[in-house]
Amino acid sequence: MDTHEVNRLRAGLGLFVEDVFASVPRKDQRAKGECYLRGLMLDGRRKSIQPMAQRLPDGNMQALQQFVNQSPWPWTPVRRRIAERMVQVVQPEVWVIDDVAFPKCGRASVGVARQYCGALGKRANCQVAVSVHAATDRASCPLEWELFLPEEWAHDLQRRRAAGVPDEAGHVTKPRLALGLLARLAGWLPSVPVLVADCGYGRSVGFRLALEEHGWSYIMAVEPKEIARPAAAVPHLPPYQGLGPPTLPRYREPARPLRDLVDAHTCFETVTWRQGSKGAMTSRFAVLEVRPSGKEASRTAQEHADGRGRWDGVLPLRTLLVERPEAADEPTGYWMSNLPATTPVADLVRWAKMRWRIEHDYRELKHGLGLDHFEGRTWRGWHHHVTLVTAAQAFLTLRRYDPKAHTTA
């Protein structure tokens, strides 16, 4: 946006800031928040504090630096209010779980380490954040974030102290961070829709089982090498030989990779899930029932049966969605779900494919609003900047939905 466009939105932006930053105690802090949001929305190559302050007529670099990096205003209530407002407007069909990387130089920025960087497609020096987004085909927005701390940050007291990492923040896997974000959002919002994630999360059987423990529905990409058994597989009980502990039920055939459960008899149907810029998005899909196998699946089934000795050996059924385009010789995508196999295949496909929508989020958040332009090094500064960028994107999304609407709830 140019200066004229941003100034034209100032009245609505002021009402928006008054609402979502109501938890920030001081009026001057809220004013700096409004100023920072204008800086993020204003055209400019860099959205770090110094260039934004230079572009803003009321920009004060020192004041904005203090507001973002040192001021102790709490970011969680701000994000909660943004999430409450956005789910009312977007009315998401799914929540998308994902992570995003920020390439960095040096080793002082909080959470930075040499790790896989999705932005570069290789291992590199970067920060990584886990996020949850509300999404429909029409719109999407981030609801909550958490910064991933690599293992090397867990016990490096000097780096932690320099970056202001709180004592309670340690090395937690990305799936566990995602579970924490989902639990937080479930406490804030009236309902949890279908959860969607790529293979980075879907490949974890433990993560999927944890979602089921919370009673949440999901459809997640999985790897074709994951093992399972056909729905018709039935365990048998070997005869007891009279020595040692009692025998337990077991399946006669070993579990097979998902790719081997799809054969020439599998029925595929053509599904169109949305209209893209180049026409209808169409492919062929099949829905199967399978019994995910392996140590985690078996252990959880035993726990639900109140112990190994009480388990009948039957692994629970899950729904497998398989994609095989017309011209493909073999399937190109697999998704596991705890939704019933009777769910309309068009719904399963639409939800599974809705992860595309958050690429729009990242494009706007990064290239338009400077999500990855933050140059500070602290835990507090990173969370403040991410919160402010989320607020800016939420404001713009609200304006796109209804440009003439007031920006109060």
Side-chain angles (χ1 to χ4, degrees):
M1 293 184 180
D2 59 27
T3 303
H4 174 72
E5 290 175 307
V6 172
N7 286 337
R8 186 165 52 84
L9 297 177
R10 285 194 68 170
L13 180 62
L15 292 173
F16 176 80
V17 169
E18 183 180 343
D19 178 36
V20 300
F21 287 86
S23 58
V24 177
R26 288 167 40 187
K27 183 177 180 180
D28 65 309
Q29 291 176 321
R30 295 193 294 273
K32 291 171 187 172
E34 189 266 350
C35 180
Y36 198 91
L37 263 59
R38 281 189 283 117
L40 293 172
M41 293 187 291
L42 195 60
D43 290 338
R45 183 174 180 180
R46 290 294 298 173
K47 300 296 178 74
S48 51
I49 292 174
Q50 182 176 359
M52 286 199 306
Q54 292 172 347
R55 287 191 289 266
L56 292 164
D58 55 343
N60 181 308
M61 186 180 74
Q62 185 175 355
L64 291 178
Q65 287 275 17
Q66 194 277 334
F67 172 70
V68 174
N69 290 311
Q70 284 86 41
S71 181
W73 58 273
W75 57 81
T76 299
V78 177
R79 293 187 196 169
R80 175 173 182 168
R81 183 59 188 141
I82 293 171
E84 289 171 344
R85 291 197 56 173
M86 296 310 293
V87 296
Q88 291 177 3
V89 174
V90 174
Q91 296 184 355
E93 289 189 74
V94 301
W95 286 355
V96 182
I97 303 156
D98 201 39
D99 50 67
V100 60
F102 310 102
K104 290 288 182 180
C105 297
R107 64 190 301 272
S109 295
V110 61
V112 73
R114 186 168 180 79
Q115 54 194 318
Y116 179 76
C117 178
L120 301 177
K122 62 181 181 179
R123 285 180 61 84
N125 205 55
C126 65
Q127 294 169 316
V128 175
V130 177
S131 56
V132 176
H133 303 241
T136 66
D137 279 332
R138 183 183 175 192
S140 57
C141 60
L143 299 177
E144 184 58 313
W145 302 83
E146 193 59 87
L147 183 64
F148 171 71
L149 284 180
E151 195 167 2
E152 67 187 65
W153 279 80
H155 307 294
D156 193 332
L157 297 180
Q158 183 177 357
R159 292 177 82 188
R160 291 172 63 91
R161 192 176 300 113
V165 178
D167 292 342
E168 63 272 15
H171 171 65
V172 177
T173 64
K174 293 169 192 173
R176 283 185 57 197
L177 285 179
L179 286 171
L181 295 180
L182 292 169
R184 199 179 306 156
L185 289 168
W188 295 350
L189 303 172
S191 62
V192 177
V194 176
L195 302 174
V196 175
D198 65 12
C199 200
Y201 295 87
R203 70 162 66 98
S204 171
V205 176
F207 179 64
R208 301 199 313 256
L209 292 171
L211 298 179
E212 294 176 12
E213 289 288 338
H214 284 88
W216 298 330
S217 299
Y218 63 80
I219 180 163
M220 299 192 169
V222 292
E223 295 177 330
K225 66 182 181 180
E226 179 172 330
I227 60 172
R229 289 180 167 86
V234 178
H236 77 290
L237 183 64
Y240 181 53
Q241 303 297 325
L243 296 174
T247 54
L248 297 175
R250 65 189 66 173
Y251 288 90
R252 295 180 183 273
E253 300 295 330
R256 293 182 284 162
L258 295 176
R259 65 167 71 90
D260 293 346
L261 298 178
V262 181
D263 56 30
H265 302 292
T266 303
C267 181
F268 286 84
E269 62 180 284
T270 300
V271 177
T272 298
W273 62 92
R274 69 179 176 90
Q275 293 294 321
S277 58
K278 298 181 180 180
M281 307 292 286
T282 301
S283 188
R284 298 169 67 245
F285 296 87
V287 175
L288 310 173
E289 285 189 300
V290 299
R291 300 183 186 275
S293 304
K295 293 181 179 180
E296 287 184 284
S298 298
R299 184 174 62 249
T300 302
Q302 292 171 16
E303 290 173 355
H304 288 175
D306 294 327
R308 185 168 179 265
R310 296 175 178 268
W311 183 40
D312 61 5
V314 177
L315 291 164
L317 285 170
R318 293 294 174 263
T319 300
L320 178 67
L321 177 69
V322 184
E323 178 181 7
R324 191 179 72 187
E326 186 72 42
D329 295 331
E330 59 184 24
T332 58
Y334 299 80
W335 294 264
M336 194 72 74
S337 177
N338 62 341
L339 292 163
T342 54
T343 305
V345 63
D347 289 340
L348 292 173
V349 172
R350 191 175 72 257
W351 294 331
K353 293 288 189 176
M354 206 170 285
R355 187 186 170 278
W356 73 272
R357 178 68 220 190
I358 68 168
E359 298 303 326
H360 287 249
D361 281 351
Y362 288 143
R363 191 175 302 116
E364 182 174 42
L365 291 164
K366 283 189 169 186
H367 303 307
L369 298 171
L371 177 65
D372 56 350
H373 294 183
F374 179 64
E375 295 176 347
R377 297 177 174 178
T378 66
W379 176 271
R380 177 181 292 168
W382 185 90
H383 281 85
H384 280 167
H385 174 73
V386 166
T387 302
L388 290 158
V389 173
T390 301
Q393 200 251 13
F395 174 75
L396 294 174
T397 301
L398 293 171
R399 298 293 303 189
R400 282 193 290 267
Y401 256 76
D402 187 356
K404 297 181 180 179
H406 295 295
T407 49
T408 54

